[in-house]
Amino acid sequence: MIAPIPSPIWQPACARTIAIPEPANLRARGLVASIISISWAPKSSSDNFDFSLDASGILCGTGDYIARVEAYVATSQGSPTDLAVSWCSVVNGLACIFLGGGEPGTTQTVSIEITTQQGRIISQDVLIAIASGVASTPNPVPTLADGTPVPPNAMRDSDASILLDDNGNPLIFA
């Protein structure tokens, strides 16, 4: 597999990008590692923003890179104003998740699974606080006819149609 092509059309916000922490090497010291919680900056319910994870630290020296990202809101209650994942994509080597909505005054958990080109799987939960205010539903995003969300870094043909892979998913600039 060839390395991903950087996205020329859309950039993740560095203010909402966090690194996946490298696990501490405590084994030699006979200590038990604790789970480290990570969190993105808070958002209001009406915000529809990209939030990203950087896995370069834990993939350092491997020659590996992110090939696929999936996410869901583990704390979702089935309400129209729940925090929702509008789309996931790999953008410029980052795992990007676009989030909208969220019940004000709560802290939500977004569960992310990153698959690398060499088959590594990184599972990471990220907390995000929803600021107090009025509850909003997530804004709609462009979708294919079957409802598959189209991320902003999807490749398009000269007639502006979305290019798809063999599984019917949008091809992306990564």
Side-chain angles (χ1 to χ4, degrees):
M1 178 178 241
I2 61 170
I5 301 167
S7 175
I9 54 176
W10 193 81
Q11 300 297 318
C14 54
R16 293 182 301 276
T17 300
I18 55 176
I20 298 173
E22 298 175 40
N25 184 4
L26 301 174
R27 191 171 169 188
R29 296 181 209 134
L31 302 173
V32 177
S34 61
I35 302 295
I36 299 172
S37 296
I38 60 174
S39 13
W40 281 307
K43 69 177 270 326
S44 75
S45 184
S46 61
D47 292 339
N48 289 270
F49 284 144
D50 57 286
F51 292 86
S52 302
L53 289 177
D54 182 352
S56 61
I58 60 175
L59 295 176
C60 184
T62 65
D64 205 356
Y65 52 86
I66 298 172
R68 185 172 159 217
V69 60
E70 294 182 51
Y72 69 94
V73 180
T75 50
S76 179
Q77 300 291 314
S79 165
T81 59
D82 276 344
L83 182 67
V85 175
S86 298
W87 55 259
C88 298
S89 189
V90 180
V91 183
N92 296 341
L94 301 173
C96 292
I97 297 95
F98 199 79
L99 300 171
E103 196 59 40
T106 64
T107 299
Q108 303 294 312
T109 301
V110 181
S111 295
I112 299 134
E113 184 172 283
I114 296 169
T115 305
T116 69
Q117 183 270 330
Q118 295 176 4
R120 291 176 173 90
I121 296 177
I122 303 163
S123 295
Q124 182 68 57
D125 285 347
V126 183
L127 302 175
I128 185 165
I130 311 301
S132 297
V134 178
S136 297
T137 58
N139 286 347
V141 296
T143 60
L144 299 175
D146 67 357
T148 302
V150 177
N153 62 331
M155 293 182 182
R156 298 175 189 270
D157 202 353
S158 58
D159 67 356
S161 61
I162 305 295
L163 298 175
L164 305 175
D165 65 16
D166 293 339
N167 296 323
N169 297 314
L171 289 171
I172 60 167
F173 288 102

